[in-house]
Short mmCIF file of all heavy atoms in Angstrom, two decimals:
data_model
loop_
_atom_site.label_atom_id
_atom_site.label_comp_id
_atom_site.label_asym_id
_atom_site.label_seq_id
_atom_site.Cartn_x
_atom_site.Cartn_y
_atom_site.Cartn_z
N ALA B 50 -2.32 -8.92 9.23
CA ALA B 50 -1.86 -9.66 10.42
C ALA B 50 -1.54 -11.11 10.05
O ALA B 50 -1.85 -12.04 10.78
CB ALA B 50 -2.92 -9.61 11.53
N ALA B 51 -0.92 -11.27 8.89
CA ALA B 51 -0.41 -12.54 8.36
C ALA B 51 -1.48 -13.53 7.92
O ALA B 51 -1.29 -14.23 6.93
CB ALA B 51 0.53 -13.22 9.36
N SER B 52 -2.62 -13.56 8.63
CA SER B 52 -3.59 -14.62 8.33
C SER B 52 -5.05 -14.19 8.43
O SER B 52 -5.94 -15.03 8.24
CB SER B 52 -3.37 -15.81 9.27
OG SER B 52 -3.54 -15.43 10.60
N THR B 53 -5.31 -12.93 8.72
CA THR B 53 -6.69 -12.46 8.86
C THR B 53 -7.22 -12.01 7.50
O THR B 53 -6.67 -11.10 6.88
CB THR B 53 -6.79 -11.31 9.86
OG1 THR B 53 -6.30 -11.74 11.12
CG2 THR B 53 -8.23 -10.85 10.00
N LEU B 54 -8.29 -12.67 7.06
CA LEU B 54 -8.88 -12.36 5.76
C LEU B 54 -9.66 -11.06 5.84
O LEU B 54 -10.52 -10.90 6.73
CB LEU B 54 -9.79 -13.51 5.35
CG LEU B 54 -10.18 -13.65 3.88
CD1 LEU B 54 -8.96 -13.94 3.03
CD2 LEU B 54 -11.24 -14.73 3.72
N GLN B 55 -9.36 -10.14 4.96
CA GLN B 55 -10.10 -8.88 4.92
C GLN B 55 -11.56 -9.16 4.53
O GLN B 55 -11.87 -10.09 3.79
CB GLN B 55 -9.45 -7.91 3.93
CG GLN B 55 -10.19 -6.62 3.64
CD GLN B 55 -10.30 -5.68 4.83
OE1 GLN B 55 -10.07 -6.07 5.97
NE2 GLN B 55 -10.62 -4.42 4.56
N SER B 56 -12.44 -8.31 5.02
CA SER B 56 -13.87 -8.45 4.73
C SER B 56 -14.14 -8.54 3.23
O SER B 56 -13.55 -7.80 2.43
CB SER B 56 -14.60 -7.25 5.31
OG SER B 56 -15.97 -7.28 5.00
N GLU B 57 -14.99 -9.46 2.86
CA GLU B 57 -15.45 -9.67 1.48
C GLU B 57 -14.41 -10.27 0.55
O GLU B 57 -14.66 -10.39 -0.65
CB GLU B 57 -16.02 -8.37 0.89
CG GLU B 57 -17.22 -7.83 1.67
CD GLU B 57 -17.85 -6.62 1.03
OE1 GLU B 57 -17.49 -6.25 -0.10
OE2 GLU B 57 -18.73 -6.01 1.68
N VAL B 58 -13.29 -10.67 1.07
CA VAL B 58 -12.30 -11.38 0.25
C VAL B 58 -12.66 -12.87 0.25
O VAL B 58 -12.94 -13.43 1.32
CB VAL B 58 -10.87 -11.16 0.79
CG1 VAL B 58 -9.86 -12.07 0.07
CG2 VAL B 58 -10.48 -9.70 0.65
N PRO B 59 -12.67 -13.50 -0.91
CA PRO B 59 -13.08 -14.92 -0.97
C PRO B 59 -12.21 -15.82 -0.10
O PRO B 59 -11.00 -15.59 0.04
CB PRO B 59 -12.92 -15.27 -2.45
CG PRO B 59 -13.02 -13.98 -3.16
CD PRO B 59 -12.42 -12.95 -2.25
N SER B 60 -12.82 -16.84 0.44
CA SER B 60 -12.13 -17.72 1.38
C SER B 60 -11.09 -18.62 0.70
O SER B 60 -10.36 -19.33 1.39
CB SER B 60 -13.15 -18.59 2.13
OG SER B 60 -13.90 -19.36 1.22
N ARG B 61 -11.00 -18.61 -0.62
CA ARG B 61 -9.94 -19.39 -1.30
C ARG B 61 -8.56 -18.75 -1.07
O ARG B 61 -7.54 -19.39 -1.32
CB ARG B 61 -10.21 -19.53 -2.81
CG ARG B 61 -10.24 -18.23 -3.58
CD ARG B 61 -10.51 -18.50 -5.06
NE ARG B 61 -10.55 -17.27 -5.84
CZ ARG B 61 -11.63 -16.54 -6.00
NH1 ARG B 61 -12.77 -16.92 -5.44
NH2 ARG B 61 -11.59 -15.43 -6.74
N PHE B 62 -8.55 -17.51 -0.58
CA PHE B 62 -7.29 -16.86 -0.22
C PHE B 62 -6.99 -17.14 1.25
O PHE B 62 -7.89 -17.03 2.10
CB PHE B 62 -7.37 -15.35 -0.41
CG PHE B 62 -7.45 -14.91 -1.86
CD1 PHE B 62 -8.67 -14.74 -2.48
CD2 PHE B 62 -6.29 -14.67 -2.59
CE1 PHE B 62 -8.75 -14.34 -3.81
CE2 PHE B 62 -6.36 -14.27 -3.91
CZ PHE B 62 -7.60 -14.11 -4.52
N SER B 63 -5.74 -17.47 1.55
CA SER B 63 -5.35 -17.65 2.94
C SER B 63 -3.89 -17.26 3.10
O SER B 63 -3.10 -17.29 2.14
CB SER B 63 -5.56 -19.10 3.40
OG SER B 63 -4.74 -19.98 2.67
N GLY B 64 -3.55 -16.86 4.31
CA GLY B 64 -2.19 -16.48 4.62
C GLY B 64 -1.70 -17.19 5.86
O GLY B 64 -2.49 -17.53 6.74
N SER B 65 -0.38 -17.40 5.91
CA SER B 65 0.19 -18.06 7.07
C SER B 65 1.61 -17.55 7.28
O SER B 65 2.19 -16.89 6.41
CB SER B 65 0.21 -19.58 6.88
OG SER B 65 1.04 -19.95 5.80
N GLY B 66 2.15 -17.88 8.44
CA GLY B 66 3.52 -17.53 8.75
C GLY B 66 3.65 -16.58 9.92
O GLY B 66 2.67 -15.98 10.38
N SER B 67 4.87 -16.45 10.39
CA SER B 67 5.21 -15.50 11.45
C SER B 67 6.71 -15.36 11.49
O SER B 67 7.44 -16.22 10.97
CB SER B 67 4.67 -15.95 12.81
OG SER B 67 5.32 -17.13 13.21
N GLY B 68 7.17 -14.28 12.09
CA GLY B 68 8.60 -14.06 12.15
C GLY B 68 9.14 -13.51 10.84
O GLY B 68 8.96 -12.34 10.53
N THR B 69 9.81 -14.36 10.07
CA THR B 69 10.40 -13.91 8.81
C THR B 69 9.83 -14.57 7.56
O THR B 69 10.10 -14.11 6.45
CB THR B 69 11.93 -14.14 8.81
OG1 THR B 69 12.18 -15.54 8.96
CG2 THR B 69 12.62 -13.37 9.94
N ASP B 70 9.08 -15.64 7.70
CA ASP B 70 8.61 -16.40 6.54
C ASP B 70 7.09 -16.47 6.50
O ASP B 70 6.45 -16.92 7.45
CB ASP B 70 9.21 -17.80 6.54
CG ASP B 70 10.71 -17.76 6.29
OD1 ASP B 70 11.11 -17.24 5.24
OD2 ASP B 70 11.46 -18.24 7.15
N PHE B 71 6.55 -16.07 5.34
CA PHE B 71 5.11 -15.97 5.17
C PHE B 71 4.70 -16.55 3.82
O PHE B 71 5.50 -16.58 2.87
CB PHE B 71 4.67 -14.50 5.25
CG PHE B 71 5.04 -13.86 6.54
CD1 PHE B 71 6.29 -13.26 6.70
CD2 PHE B 71 4.16 -13.85 7.61
CE1 PHE B 71 6.64 -12.68 7.91
CE2 PHE B 71 4.51 -13.28 8.81
CZ PHE B 71 5.76 -12.69 8.96
N THR B 72 3.45 -16.99 3.76
CA THR B 72 2.93 -17.58 2.53
C THR B 72 1.52 -17.09 2.27
O THR B 72 0.70 -17.02 3.19
CB THR B 72 2.92 -19.11 2.64
OG1 THR B 72 4.25 -19.59 2.85
CG2 THR B 72 2.37 -19.74 1.36
N LEU B 73 1.28 -16.76 1.01
CA LEU B 73 -0.09 -16.51 0.54
C LEU B 73 -0.48 -17.71 -0.32
O LEU B 73 0.26 -18.08 -1.24
CB LEU B 73 -0.15 -15.24 -0.30
CG LEU B 73 -1.48 -14.96 -1.01
CD1 LEU B 73 -2.57 -14.61 -0.01
CD2 LEU B 73 -1.32 -13.84 -2.04
N THR B 74 -1.61 -18.31 -0.01
CA THR B 74 -2.10 -19.45 -0.77
C THR B 74 -3.43 -19.10 -1.41
O THR B 74 -4.30 -18.51 -0.76
CB THR B 74 -2.27 -20.68 0.13
OG1 THR B 74 -1.00 -21.03 0.71
CG2 THR B 74 -2.79 -21.88 -0.67
N ILE B 75 -3.55 -19.44 -2.68
CA ILE B 75 -4.83 -19.29 -3.38
C ILE B 75 -5.26 -20.70 -3.78
O ILE B 75 -4.57 -21.39 -4.55
CB ILE B 75 -4.73 -18.40 -4.63
CG1 ILE B 75 -3.99 -17.10 -4.32
CG2 ILE B 75 -6.13 -18.10 -5.17
CD1 ILE B 75 -3.69 -16.25 -5.53
N ARG B 76 -6.37 -21.10 -3.23
CA ARG B 76 -6.88 -22.45 -3.48
C ARG B 76 -7.87 -22.35 -4.63
O ARG B 76 -8.76 -21.52 -4.60
CB ARG B 76 -7.55 -22.96 -2.21
CG ARG B 76 -8.20 -24.29 -2.26
CD ARG B 76 -8.70 -24.70 -0.86
NE ARG B 76 -9.36 -23.63 -0.15
CZ ARG B 76 -10.64 -23.29 -0.30
NH1 ARG B 76 -11.40 -23.92 -1.18
NH2 ARG B 76 -11.17 -22.30 0.42
N SER B 77 -7.71 -23.18 -5.65
CA SER B 77 -8.62 -23.21 -6.79
C SER B 77 -8.70 -21.84 -7.49
O SER B 77 -9.70 -21.11 -7.36
CB SER B 77 -10.02 -23.66 -6.36
OG SER B 77 -10.84 -23.87 -7.51
N LEU B 78 -7.66 -21.52 -8.24
CA LEU B 78 -7.57 -20.25 -8.94
C LEU B 78 -8.79 -19.98 -9.82
O LEU B 78 -9.25 -20.86 -10.54
CB LEU B 78 -6.33 -20.23 -9.83
CG LEU B 78 -5.00 -19.77 -9.23
CD1 LEU B 78 -3.88 -20.00 -10.23
CD2 LEU B 78 -5.07 -18.31 -8.81
N GLN B 79 -9.24 -18.73 -9.74
CA GLN B 79 -10.32 -18.27 -10.61
C GLN B 79 -9.77 -17.28 -11.63
O GLN B 79 -8.70 -16.69 -11.40
CB GLN B 79 -11.41 -17.61 -9.77
CG GLN B 79 -12.07 -18.57 -8.77
CD GLN B 79 -12.69 -19.76 -9.46
OE1 GLN B 79 -13.60 -19.61 -10.29
NE2 GLN B 79 -12.22 -20.95 -9.14
N PRO B 80 -10.45 -17.07 -12.74
CA PRO B 80 -9.93 -16.16 -13.78
C PRO B 80 -9.61 -14.76 -13.25
O PRO B 80 -8.64 -14.14 -13.69
CB PRO B 80 -11.06 -16.13 -14.81
CG PRO B 80 -11.76 -17.44 -14.65
CD PRO B 80 -11.69 -17.74 -13.17
N GLU B 81 -10.40 -14.29 -12.29
CA GLU B 81 -10.18 -12.94 -11.76
C GLU B 81 -8.98 -12.84 -10.81
O GLU B 81 -8.65 -11.75 -10.35
CB GLU B 81 -11.45 -12.45 -11.05
CG GLU B 81 -11.91 -13.27 -9.86
CD GLU B 81 -12.90 -14.37 -10.23
OE1 GLU B 81 -12.84 -14.87 -11.38
OE2 GLU B 81 -13.71 -14.73 -9.35
N ASP B 82 -8.34 -13.96 -10.50
CA ASP B 82 -7.21 -13.95 -9.57
C ASP B 82 -5.88 -13.66 -10.26
O ASP B 82 -4.87 -13.46 -9.59
CB ASP B 82 -7.09 -15.30 -8.84
CG ASP B 82 -8.32 -15.63 -8.03
OD1 ASP B 82 -9.05 -14.69 -7.64
OD2 ASP B 82 -8.55 -16.82 -7.77
N PHE B 83 -5.88 -13.62 -11.59
CA PHE B 83 -4.63 -13.36 -12.29
C PHE B 83 -4.31 -11.87 -12.16
O PHE B 83 -5.05 -11.01 -12.66
CB PHE B 83 -4.71 -13.85 -13.72
CG PHE B 83 -4.79 -15.36 -13.79
CD1 PHE B 83 -6.02 -16.01 -13.86
CD2 PHE B 83 -3.65 -16.14 -13.72
CE1 PHE B 83 -6.11 -17.38 -13.87
CE2 PHE B 83 -3.72 -17.52 -13.74
CZ PHE B 83 -4.95 -18.15 -13.82
N ALA B 84 -3.22 -11.59 -11.46
CA ALA B 84 -2.89 -10.24 -11.03
C ALA B 84 -1.48 -10.27 -10.45
O ALA B 84 -0.81 -11.30 -10.47
CB ALA B 84 -3.88 -9.76 -9.97
N THR B 85 -1.06 -9.13 -9.91
CA THR B 85 0.21 -9.06 -9.20
C THR B 85 -0.07 -8.97 -7.71
O THR B 85 -0.98 -8.24 -7.29
CB THR B 85 1.04 -7.85 -9.67
OG1 THR B 85 1.30 -7.99 -11.07
CG2 THR B 85 2.37 -7.78 -8.93
N TYR B 86 0.70 -9.70 -6.92
CA TYR B 86 0.51 -9.77 -5.48
C TYR B 86 1.73 -9.21 -4.77
O TYR B 86 2.87 -9.48 -5.16
CB TYR B 86 0.25 -11.23 -5.05
CG TYR B 86 -1.06 -11.74 -5.58
CD1 TYR B 86 -1.16 -12.27 -6.86
CD2 TYR B 86 -2.22 -11.66 -4.82
CE1 TYR B 86 -2.38 -12.69 -7.38
CE2 TYR B 86 -3.44 -12.08 -5.31
CZ TYR B 86 -3.51 -12.59 -6.60
OH TYR B 86 -4.71 -13.00 -7.10
N TYR B 87 1.45 -8.42 -3.73
CA TYR B 87 2.51 -7.79 -2.94
C TYR B 87 2.33 -8.12 -1.46
O TYR B 87 1.21 -8.08 -0.95
CB TYR B 87 2.46 -6.26 -3.07
CG TYR B 87 2.79 -5.71 -4.44
CD1 TYR B 87 1.78 -5.47 -5.37
CD2 TYR B 87 4.10 -5.44 -4.80
CE1 TYR B 87 2.07 -4.96 -6.63
CE2 TYR B 87 4.40 -4.93 -6.06
CZ TYR B 87 3.38 -4.70 -6.97
OH TYR B 87 3.68 -4.20 -8.21
N CYS B 88 3.44 -8.40 -0.80
CA CYS B 88 3.42 -8.44 0.65
C CYS B 88 3.96 -7.09 1.17
O CYS B 88 4.62 -6.35 0.42
CB CYS B 88 4.25 -9.61 1.20
SG CYS B 88 6.01 -9.55 0.82
N GLN B 89 3.66 -6.79 2.41
CA GLN B 89 4.09 -5.52 3.01
C GLN B 89 4.18 -5.70 4.51
O GLN B 89 3.27 -6.26 5.13
CB GLN B 89 3.09 -4.41 2.68
CG GLN B 89 3.36 -3.06 3.32
CD GLN B 89 2.23 -2.60 4.23
OE1 GLN B 89 1.09 -3.04 4.08
NE2 GLN B 89 2.53 -1.74 5.16
N GLN B 90 5.27 -5.24 5.10
CA GLN B 90 5.39 -5.33 6.56
C GLN B 90 4.93 -4.02 7.19
O GLN B 90 5.22 -2.94 6.67
CB GLN B 90 6.83 -5.69 6.97
CG GLN B 90 7.90 -4.64 6.69
CD GLN B 90 8.04 -3.59 7.81
OE1 GLN B 90 7.48 -3.73 8.90
NE2 GLN B 90 8.80 -2.53 7.53
N SER B 91 4.20 -4.13 8.26
CA SER B 91 3.78 -2.96 9.03
C SER B 91 4.26 -3.10 10.49
O SER B 91 3.62 -2.62 11.42
CB SER B 91 2.27 -2.75 8.95
OG SER B 91 1.56 -3.90 9.33
N TYR B 92 5.40 -3.76 10.64
CA TYR B 92 5.98 -3.93 11.98
C TYR B 92 6.61 -2.63 12.46
O TYR B 92 6.46 -2.22 13.61
CB TYR B 92 7.02 -5.06 11.94
CG TYR B 92 7.68 -5.36 13.25
CD1 TYR B 92 6.99 -6.01 14.26
CD2 TYR B 92 9.02 -5.01 13.48
CE1 TYR B 92 7.60 -6.31 15.47
CE2 TYR B 92 9.63 -5.30 14.68
CZ TYR B 92 8.92 -5.95 15.66
OH TYR B 92 9.53 -6.24 16.85
N ASN B 93 7.37 -2.00 11.55
CA ASN B 93 7.89 -0.69 11.85
C ASN B 93 8.14 0.08 10.56
O ASN B 93 8.18 -0.50 9.47
CB ASN B 93 9.15 -0.73 12.74
CG ASN B 93 10.28 -1.49 12.10
OD1 ASN B 93 10.29 -1.71 10.89
ND2 ASN B 93 11.25 -1.90 12.90
N THR B 94 8.27 1.38 10.69
CA THR B 94 8.53 2.20 9.50
C THR B 94 10.01 2.15 9.17
O THR B 94 10.84 2.03 10.08
CB THR B 94 8.10 3.65 9.73
OG1 THR B 94 8.79 4.20 10.85
CG2 THR B 94 6.59 3.76 9.94
N PRO B 95 10.37 2.20 7.88
CA PRO B 95 9.51 2.36 6.70
C PRO B 95 8.75 1.07 6.37
O PRO B 95 9.30 -0.02 6.48
CB PRO B 95 10.50 2.71 5.59
CG PRO B 95 11.79 2.10 6.03
CD PRO B 95 11.81 2.20 7.52
N TYR B 96 7.50 1.23 5.98
CA TYR B 96 6.62 0.11 5.66
C TYR B 96 6.95 -0.42 4.26
O TYR B 96 6.31 -0.07 3.30
CB TYR B 96 5.17 0.54 5.73
CG TYR B 96 4.61 0.72 7.12
CD1 TYR B 96 3.34 1.25 7.30
CD2 TYR B 96 5.32 0.37 8.26
CE1 TYR B 96 2.80 1.41 8.56
CE2 TYR B 96 4.79 0.52 9.53
CZ TYR B 96 3.53 1.04 9.68
OH TYR B 96 2.99 1.21 10.93
N ILE B 97 7.90 -1.31 4.18
CA ILE B 97 8.41 -1.80 2.92
C ILE B 97 7.48 -2.85 2.29
O ILE B 97 6.98 -3.74 2.99
CB ILE B 97 9.80 -2.42 3.10
CG1 ILE B 97 10.77 -1.38 3.71
CG2 ILE B 97 10.35 -2.94 1.78
CD1 ILE B 97 11.07 -0.21 2.82
N PHE B 98 7.30 -2.74 0.98
CA PHE B 98 6.59 -3.74 0.20
C PHE B 98 7.58 -4.71 -0.45
O PHE B 98 8.72 -4.33 -0.77
CB PHE B 98 5.80 -3.08 -0.93
CG PHE B 98 4.60 -2.27 -0.49
CD1 PHE B 98 4.75 -0.95 -0.08
CD2 PHE B 98 3.33 -2.82 -0.50
CE1 PHE B 98 3.65 -0.20 0.32
CE2 PHE B 98 2.22 -2.08 -0.11
CZ PHE B 98 2.39 -0.77 0.31
N GLY B 99 7.15 -5.93 -0.65
CA GLY B 99 7.91 -6.84 -1.50
C GLY B 99 7.88 -6.35 -2.94
O GLY B 99 7.10 -5.46 -3.29
N GLN B 100 8.68 -6.96 -3.78
CA GLN B 100 8.81 -6.49 -5.16
C GLN B 100 7.66 -6.94 -6.05
O GLN B 100 7.52 -6.48 -7.18
CB GLN B 100 10.15 -6.96 -5.76
CG GLN B 100 10.16 -8.38 -6.29
CD GLN B 100 10.39 -9.43 -5.22
OE1 GLN B 100 10.25 -9.18 -4.01
NE2 GLN B 100 10.74 -10.63 -5.67
N GLY B 101 6.83 -7.83 -5.55
CA GLY B 101 5.66 -8.28 -6.29
C GLY B 101 5.85 -9.63 -6.95
O GLY B 101 6.97 -10.01 -7.31
N THR B 102 4.75 -10.35 -7.08
CA THR B 102 4.71 -11.63 -7.80
C THR B 102 3.59 -11.55 -8.83
O THR B 102 2.42 -11.35 -8.45
CB THR B 102 4.44 -12.81 -6.84
OG1 THR B 102 5.54 -12.94 -5.95
CG2 THR B 102 4.24 -14.10 -7.63
N LYS B 103 3.94 -11.66 -10.07
CA LYS B 103 2.95 -11.59 -11.15
C LYS B 103 2.42 -12.98 -11.45
O LYS B 103 3.18 -13.88 -11.82
CB LYS B 103 3.55 -10.96 -12.40
CG LYS B 103 2.53 -10.69 -13.49
CD LYS B 103 3.14 -9.92 -14.65
CE LYS B 103 2.09 -9.56 -15.69
NZ LYS B 103 2.67 -8.78 -16.81
N LEU B 104 1.13 -13.16 -11.27
CA LEU B 104 0.48 -14.45 -11.50
C LEU B 104 -0.19 -14.39 -12.86
O LEU B 104 -1.11 -13.59 -13.09
CB LEU B 104 -0.53 -14.72 -10.40
CG LEU B 104 -1.36 -15.99 -10.47
CD1 LEU B 104 -0.50 -17.23 -10.60
CD2 LEU B 104 -2.27 -16.09 -9.25
N GLU B 105 0.26 -15.25 -13.76
CA GLU B 105 -0.23 -15.24 -15.14
C GLU B 105 -0.93 -16.55 -15.48
O GLU B 105 -0.67 -17.59 -14.87
CB GLU B 105 0.93 -15.00 -16.10
CG GLU B 105 1.63 -13.66 -15.89
CD GLU B 105 2.86 -13.49 -16.74
OE1 GLU B 105 3.77 -14.35 -16.67
OE2 GLU B 105 2.92 -12.49 -17.49
N ILE B 106 -1.76 -16.47 -16.48
CA ILE B 106 -2.48 -17.66 -16.94
C ILE B 106 -1.56 -18.53 -17.79
O ILE B 106 -0.88 -18.03 -18.70
CB ILE B 106 -3.72 -17.25 -17.78
CG1 ILE B 106 -4.66 -16.39 -16.95
CG2 ILE B 106 -4.43 -18.50 -18.32
CD1 ILE B 106 -5.83 -15.86 -17.74
N LYS B 107 -1.55 -19.83 -17.49
CA LYS B 107 -0.73 -20.77 -18.28
C LYS B 107 -1.47 -21.10 -19.58
O LYS B 107 -2.68 -21.36 -19.55
CB LYS B 107 -0.47 -22.03 -17.48
CG LYS B 107 0.45 -23.02 -18.17
CD LYS B 107 0.63 -24.27 -17.35
CE LYS B 107 1.45 -24.02 -16.12
NZ LYS B 107 1.71 -25.28 -15.36
#
Side-chain angles (χ1 to χ4, degrees):
Chain B
S52 60
T53 301
L54 199 65
Q55 172 66 345
S56 177
E57 299 185 9
V58 172
S60 59
R61 62 180 180 273
F62 291 91
S63 64
S65 64
S67 66
T69 60
D70 292 302
F71 302 87
T72 300
L73 173 69
T74 300
I75 312 172
R76 177 175 44 84
S77 188
L78 272 173
Q79 298 301 299
E81 61 268 28
D82 299 336
F83 292 94
T85 300
Y86 293 85
Y87 293 92
C88 63
Q89 176 241 337
Q90 67 86 10
S91 55
Y92 181 73
N93 60 19
T94 58
Y96 285 173
I97 303 294
F98 289 84
Q100 82 278 17
T102 295
K103 187 173 184 179
L104 178 55
E105 298 174 304
I106 301 175
K107 184 182 289 184

